Amino acid sequence: MNKQNQKVFALVSFLLQYPDEEWQAEMPYWREKAKDIEPPQVKEVVTDFFAHLASLDGKTLEENYVRDFD
């Protein structure tokens, strides 16, 4: 597995976790890391998704997670 794939998988792994307070506190770190991934098409999708998540409050993030995964 190459480094780019590892970066993408780490980001996706983070995104699939329950968005509790700790997750929300870590989101800016991972959002910044998303700017360094390749290829550009993947970077665009991931950074757009992070922008969407950043527009939501914590309660909405949690409600959406439960609706989608429980």
Side-chain angles (χ1 to χ4, degrees):
M1 179 180 316
N2 68 39
K3 284 236 184 239
Q4 283 302 314
N5 286 347
Q6 288 176 328
K7 288 178 184 180
V8 171
F9 292 152
L11 284 163
V12 170
S13 175
F14 170 76
L15 290 170
L16 289 171
Q17 295 176 35
Y18 183 80
D20 59 14
E21 289 181 11
E22 182 180 333
W23 184 94
Q24 293 172 43
E26 292 178 15
M27 191 170 61
Y29 168 81
W30 288 101
R31 188 176 184 186
E32 190 63 30
K33 296 285 273 182
K35 295 176 183 177
D36 297 331
I37 62 174
E38 296 289 335
Q41 301 91 329
V42 174
K43 177 172 37 179
E44 181 179 0
V45 169
V46 174
T47 56
D48 286 352
F49 189 63
F50 269 108
H52 168 70
L53 294 175
S55 73
L56 303 174
D57 61 56
K59 182 175 167 94
T60 302
L61 287 168
E62 292 174 356
E63 289 172 349
N64 288 351
Y65 185 93
V66 169
R67 183 194 69 225
D68 294 340
F69 291 105
D70 282 353

